[in-house]
Amino acid sequence: MYFKKIIIYIFFFLQCNIPGSKMVTSAKAAVPTVTDQAAAMQLGQCAKNLATCLAELRTAAQKAHEACGPLEIDSALSAVQTLKSELQDAKMATLEGQLKPLPGESLEKCAQDLGSTSKAVGSSMAQLLTCAAQGNEHYTGVAARETAQALRTLAQAARGVAASTVEPQAAAAMLDSACHVMEGSAMLIHEAHQALVCPGDAESQQRLAQVAKAVSHSLNNCVNLSLNCVNDPKNKFHLIISQLAVASGKFSQDFDEFLDAGIEMAGHTQSKDDQIQVVGNLKNISMASSKLLLAAKSLSVDPGAANAKNLLAAAARAVTESINQLITLCTQQAPGQKECDNALRELEAVRGMLDNPNEPVSDLSYFDCIESVMENSKVLGESMAGISQHCKTGNVPAFGDCVGVASKALCGLTEAAGQASYLVGVSDPNSQSGHQGLVDPIQFARANQAIQMACQNLVDPASSPSQVLSAATIVAKHTSALCNACRLASSKTANPVARRHFVQSAKEVANTTANLVKTIKALDGDFSDENRERCRVATTPLIEAVDNLSTFASNPEFASIPAQISHEGSAAQEPILRSARSMLDSSTHLLETARSLILNPKDPPTWSILAGHSRTVSDSIKSLITSIRDKAPGQRECDQSIDSINKSIRDIEQVSLAAVGQSLPRRDDISLEALQEQLTSTVQEIGHLIDPISTAARGEAAQLGHKVTQLASYFEPVIVASVGLASKHADHQQQMNILDQTKTLFESALQMLYAAKEAGGNPKATHTHDAIAEAAQLMKEAVDDIMVTLNEAASEGGMVGGMVESIAESIGRMDEGTPPEPDGTFVDYQTTMVKFSKAIAITAQEMMTKSVTCPEELGGLASQVMVDYSQLAQQGRLAAATAEPEEVGSQIKTRVQELGHGCIYLVQKAGALQMSPTDSFTKRELIEYARAVTEKVSMVLSALQAGNKGTQACITAASSVSGIIADLDTTIMFASAGTLNAENEESFADHRENILKTAKALVEDTKLLVSGAASSQDKLAQAAQSSAKTITQLTDVVKLGAASMGSEDPETQVVLINAVRDVAKALAELISATKCAAGKAADDPSMYQLKSAAKVMVTNVTSLLKTVKAVEDEATRGTRALEATIECIKQELTVFQSKDVPEKSTTPEEFIRMTKGITVATAKAVAAGNSAQQEDVISTANLSRKAISDMLTTCKQAAYHPEVGKDVRNKALLYGIECTTGYIDLLEHVLLVLQKPTAEQKQQLAVLSKKVAGSVTELIQTAEAMKGSEWVDPEDPTVIAETELLGAAASIEAAAKKLEQLKPRTKPKQADESLDFEEQILEAAKSIAAATSALVKSASAAQRELVAQGKVGSIPANAVDDGQWSQGLISAARMVAAATSNLCEAANASVQGHASEEKLISSAKQVAASTAQLLVACKVKADQDSEAMRRLQAAGNAVKRASDNLVKAAQKAAFDKAEDDSVVVKTKFVGGIAQIIAAQEEMLRKERELEEARKKLAHIRQQQYKFLPSELREDQS
């Protein structure tokens, strides 16, 4: 019993999680809008705590659920029996008059609850039957639990009805009926449990079906009794129900009379065909009337049910249409009267759509409504003109047609007006939009009705062959629609039981339909009684399957949530509804007038009346169109939001100006941490709104106003928080960074609002979708920038609350509703999850290390954990959705959530340790949590491996091979440097056989790997693990073999290692292809990729074997190396031609730099071909391989740079292919020359090399086009000069910033004159730093001016001359930067008391000297009267003045210090002599040091003079 209670509590917790998560989301969205600071902080903290607790509760409940799952059925049975006992106790209390309603209970409410709950009970029982029939114990237990929960609600509602009923007998009957339901449900659960023991037993399945029917009957009786209780005259709700009862009775009486008259009419009809049509129409009317009464009953039981009113309206229209069809068939009236009467009945039927449009009338969007109104108004105008025209001419058939067309157009106009008014009301920000359900009950009800009517026609002996075929078509159409609806519902729902039930129901409907179609085909061939009976038998299971599906789909859980339209929304609806009502009224009068006019077309007054009604109809339609257009959803809200954000931008600009002027008032009423929390939460909420606004702008006009208004509500909180945060920072740069990022966010939001307003939610306005996407991307980037800044600041200060909240959100999001539609397979998500899981483990290990060595870096690592876990959770949600079986998906989800909790604890401890770096207890806790995170990562990997053990092994093997390739690259570097030597005396022959044997073993592993893709996951895992082990062994023996060849022949060592590297790379590709092809069909494209990868693998292994055999043969090893290189380049070209986008991009300058390697390699290839020496060929092969590989890699990376256009990209890729193919032709020709060295063949080498050179030229030109007008040659001396100048300026500015942070050391107070010396030094040093920064920038501007004037070429004509000048400029700029840096260090040391004034003076003089050299270097080619030179000269003078001031201040200080230094002369003789000797010794030592320093300075200047450019030497001379 204890365990059963635990299970009940678990179920309760799991149910409470969803509303709890919604509460957290709503609270977080509300926090930024709360003006009370304390309340906002309290609400935000409570939301975080609730989110964390819910995440922990969810994980604990899931663990308990896994442990107690098998007891679910017993627990549900016990719960139902307990409910029965409680109802019996309530009955005893009723008989004793002691049963009282609970607070909040009323008869009306309880009756409605009972009616709506009965649907949930029926749906959950349908699930129970399906799961029990499938023999699935787990899902049967879940369905039993849901049935018990629904019955609990039903029992509470039944008790409430009984307690609120005045008559004790009626109350007792109500409770008796509810007890019967509980008793039958307990029996049903028991039989379901028994059915699990024998899943295929027909007898148990039959008993289960009988018990289910009995429960359904008891449930209907219970609902009927609740209605009887409500219908008691003593109850206040009696009036409405009695009106419905009177109306239903009147309808039933009229229907009986109508049916009798119809049957009598059919009996009097002479034609057999007419009789069949009359009877068929009577059947349709009977069916439609039955649906109408059922809809009325359903609405009375549950008036708040979604779409209940629409179902009733649709049923009423169906009755009207059926009656119109029969009247048209059976009556013979005066000309045109029948058509007019039918039209008037149709208009009366649709008038109800305009009474209270708080539910969607159709699926039309707002702009579809406008188009529908325009089209129907045009049709109506033409038909009205036709009515008038045909009345004049007396053309009655044409008149009738026009009346019918006008009626359809008016119905369409009314429907569009009703839908448009609903959308207008819902779009009001004060309204609450509805929520679309999982399924459409109207669709299921209509399909069920149509299938039943079609099946009746099929089994009707009077049905003709054409009617049979028509009925079969209807059945096929609607069953197909139901199956598609089930498929969509199963993909959307997060409930696994519901998903399985939808799938199973779709299969049952499809199978029974297929069986029925077979019997229909037989009936079509032979209309015998036997075939008709078979057809009748086949319809029974189809009708049952459709009924069961409709019952299941009627679950309130799947139903739509109706919208709640505010008073403002209702007021906005009124103009549309008024115009539509006026249109219907005037149209009704017009049709009535036309009906009389067709009989008497010569009556002038009637014509006048018709014209008046026609004008009224036209005016009302014009008014309707105007009203719909003026009330376009979201436009008013967009305008208001645009005004609000423009004001916000102006405010932030004013604050920025105040910050620039250092007049931004500091906000002291709130802490820095609180402001960071406010800004973080608000920016996060803005980020969450980007995608919803984009979606609404593209095609959901009704949601646009809501989302835009919500976005606008966050503008003011962002300004308040960002301004407050900026005011808290003392650093000006940080202030401006925060304000600029806030302004960028507002500007991107403004762009988004303009794009959204233009699109307006119109899905057909495709020309605006690109602008919306661009604005959304810019806004996301702005949000990301602010979040990065805030996270960095938070991590530096040890504030990890935002990180913890983000991880908790990621944990909760894994259980949120339906995951997005997966774009890839489980293998894709598995691969990504492995990457992020390992990244988290690595970061956790690093945090363990940093906790001891560098605690201040823990914040950045914690932020990285947060980012990686967010990605892991996102991929984990998709992996869980695509995993098979579903248990594996649940396991993955649980493990990822457990890892999330571990990450939360780790991040929290990281923050605590940052606040208290010396706390040893916190360090130990952090290390423990880091280890726990590593263990949980392994559990995630284990869960992934359980999903696809083979593909997980492939991922692990691919990671190992990747490490092997990196190791081989390092080995190649050592070999190229000539440092790869054997550890002992051995030869290559000692390793040859081992290499060959291991390579052959790898071939066998390759075969197993390829075959493993089509076999079980276990075999695939074994093959992947074996191949990884073998390639490790192969690389080890090849490296030993290469080392044994000795470092005297490095090129041959590189050839051998390259050969095994090619094998490892091919194996990595093969493993990747195998992973993607695992479990796929033989004709899947991934299988073709697998075969291609296997061929490459075999080719490379063969090449390795050939290389091993030829490596000791000096006559052929060069040829073999060249062949291997050609094959490698071809494989690189294949990869280059693939559509895969590179992970990173590179600059055009880097691309050009890589092309120069092609030029060198080409020259070397031509030389090797001419010399025909094997050593040259080997060197060429190694160089060519690297040059082409680097070029192809950078070419693709540069081509896919975000700023490169599509045309330029295509050109770059094309020329890259041309260059590579040309180079392959060159190498192949070199190979041919080696085999047949003739003069003609060698001459051809020059031709082929020119072709390669031409391709390289094209590549360089394409790279220039990538950069556009800003392209520069990275080797141009003037470019280097400008780069160095700007670098020097940056260095000086950095030194100046360092100076700004310095403060004089504290010391005891002395005379006032000496107090400001340090301040004088710092101010003078700051002035020099600022002046030198301006000087270097002016030199850079002067250099650009020289290029613009042509005195220095952007591509130098005289490279020696301009290059020499540029070097002079570079060296002078470097000297200025170095001297300024020394000055800052001297100033720092001086104010700290660690350096003398002499060092400060020397540093200042060096700044002045280097400034003079920079001026000389710039004057060499400059125009002395140019603006740039004037600025340069002014900057130089400023540096000289600042240096002189500093020298004077320091010299004065030194002089004053010398004067103040008093010498104490000793009076004793011996002491006096000793004092003189010491002074003389110091003087001699100083003189000697001075002389040595002068010689050292002269030597330094002599050495520097040798390297000075000619311009500077000449000037100094």
Side-chain angles (χ1 to χ4, degrees), residues 481-548:
L482 286 178
C483 290
N484 288 331
C486 289
R487 180 181 58 81
L488 290 174
S490 66
S491 65
K492 290 179 181 179
T493 181
N495 185 342
V497 181
R499 185 186 303 123
R500 291 177 66 89
H501 192 96
F502 275 120
V503 172
Q504 187 62 29
S505 298
K507 289 180 180 178
E508 290 180 3
V509 171
N511 292 335
T512 53
T513 302
N515 294 332
L516 178 60
V517 169
K518 291 179 182 178
T519 61
I520 292 174
K521 289 181 179 178
L523 180 63
D524 186 44
D526 180 13
F527 276 84
S528 62
D529 293 338
E530 183 180 357
N531 287 339
R532 198 175 290 275
E533 177 62 20
R534 289 177 181 171
C535 189
R536 186 193 66 77
V537 172
T539 59
T540 303
L542 174 61
I543 293 174
E544 288 182 358
V546 173
D547 275 338
N548 291 335

Side-chain angles (χ1 to χ4, degrees), residues 2 88 168 215 225 293 344 477 630 681 713 759 775 823 829 880 1014 1052 1083 1131 1246 1301 1310 1401 1451 1500 1502:
Y2 176 71
Q88 289 174 343
V215 174
L225 281 173
L293 292 173
L344 290 172
K477 173 185 173 183
D630 290 346
S681 62
S713 67
D823 294 328
Y829 304 127
T1052 306
D1083 57 349
Q1131 292 174 12
Q1301 298 172 359
Q1310 298 176 7
I1401 294 170
Q1451 286 176 340
I1500 291 172
Q1502 288 174 1

Side-chain angles (χ1 to χ4, degrees), residues 421 424-425 428 567-576 627 631 636:
S421 64
V424 167
D428 188 270
H567 294 296
E568 295 84 353
S570 299
Q573 289 178 325
E574 194 54 37
I576 299 176
S627 299
K631 297 295 181 180
R636 177 168 55 89

Side-chain angles (χ1 to χ4, degrees), residues 367-519:
F367 296 93
D368 291 336
C369 291
I370 295 177
E371 290 185 6
S372 178
V373 168
M374 297 297 294
E375 292 174 1
N376 283 306
S377 62
K378 183 179 179 181
V379 172
L380 180 61
E382 294 173 352
S383 59
M384 287 169 57
I387 289 173
S388 177
Q389 179 66 27
H390 298 310
C391 281
K392 291 179 181 178
T393 60
N395 189 344
V396 176
F399 171 82
D401 293 340
C402 288
V403 169
V405 171
S407 174
K408 298 300 180 188
L410 286 167
C411 290
L413 284 166
T414 306
E415 183 176 327
Q419 177 70 5
S421 64
Y422 165 76
L423 294 174
V424 167
V426 166
S427 65
D428 188 270
N430 298 312
S431 300
Q432 294 183 11
S433 58
H435 175 68
Q436 187 177 4
L438 192 64
V439 294
D440 184 4
I442 297 178
Q443 179 189 9
F444 278 76
R446 288 175 180 170
N448 191 4
Q449 178 182 357
I451 290 171
Q452 289 187 15
M453 293 176 64
C455 288
Q456 286 184 1
N457 290 334
L458 281 173
V459 300
D460 189 353
S463 297
S464 63
S466 61
Q467 289 176 324
V468 169
L469 291 177
S470 175
T473 303
I474 292 173
V475 169
K477 173 185 173 183
H478 287 284
T479 54
S480 175
L482 286 178
C483 290
N484 288 331
C486 289
R487 180 181 58 81
L488 290 174
S490 66
S491 65
K492 290 179 181 179
T493 181
N495 185 342
V497 181
R499 185 186 303 123
R500 291 177 66 89
H501 192 96
F502 275 120
V503 172
Q504 187 62 29
S505 298
K507 289 180 180 178
E508 290 180 3
V509 171
N511 292 335
T512 53
T513 302
N515 294 332
L516 178 60
V517 169
K518 291 179 182 178
T519 61

Side-chain angles (χ1 to χ4, degrees), residues 124-125 127-128 131 138-148 497:
S124 58
M125 286 183 176
Q127 292 185 43
L128 183 64
C131 297
H138 172 68
Y139 289 118
T140 302
V142 176
R145 178 246 297 176
E146 292 184 354
T147 302
V497 181

Side-chain angles (χ1 to χ4, degrees), residues 540-558:
T540 303
L542 174 61
I543 293 174
E544 288 182 358
V546 173
D547 275 338
N548 291 335
L549 177 58
S550 299
T551 302
F552 175 69
S554 64
N555 191 335
E557 178 187 347
F558 308 143

Side-chain angles (χ1 to χ4, degrees), residues 196-337:
L196 290 175
V197 180
C198 304
D201 186 17
E203 185 178 350
S204 63
Q205 295 294 329
Q206 187 177 4
R207 285 199 310 270
L208 194 61
Q210 290 174 351
V211 174
K213 288 183 180 179
V215 174
S216 179
H217 181 69
S218 301
L219 202 58
N220 286 332
N221 289 338
C222 188
V223 173
N224 290 332
L225 281 173
S226 70
L227 291 178
N228 292 335
C229 292
V230 173
N231 201 24
D232 190 335
K234 297 179 182 179
N235 293 316
K236 61 180 182 180
F237 195 51
H238 165 68
L239 180 60
I240 300 174
I241 299 299
S242 61
Q243 290 176 350
L244 178 62
V246 171
S248 300
K250 180 74 166 56
F251 180 84
S252 178
Q253 181 180 355
D254 293 342
F255 177 76
D256 289 341
E257 296 176 0
F258 179 80
L259 188 61
D260 292 339
I263 294 173
E264 184 178 355
M265 174 73 73
H268 290 218
T269 303
Q270 300 296 326
S271 171
K272 183 70 174 176
D273 293 338
D274 290 344
Q275 285 183 352
I276 292 174
Q277 289 186 10
V278 170
V279 172
N281 281 328
L282 287 173
K283 287 181 181 178
N284 292 341
I285 294 172
S286 175
M287 184 68 69
S289 300
S290 174
K291 294 297 179 183
L292 176 63
L293 292 173
L294 287 174
K297 176 186 175 183
S298 176
L299 182 61
S300 65
V301 171
D302 187 9
N307 291 319
K309 294 179 181 178
N310 281 343
L311 282 171
L312 182 62
R317 288 183 67 181
V319 172
T320 302
E321 291 173 359
S322 301
I323 293 174
N324 282 348
Q325 291 175 2
L326 183 61
I327 291 175
T328 301
L329 177 66
C330 299
T331 59
Q332 184 66 40
Q333 296 181 348
Q337 303 304 295

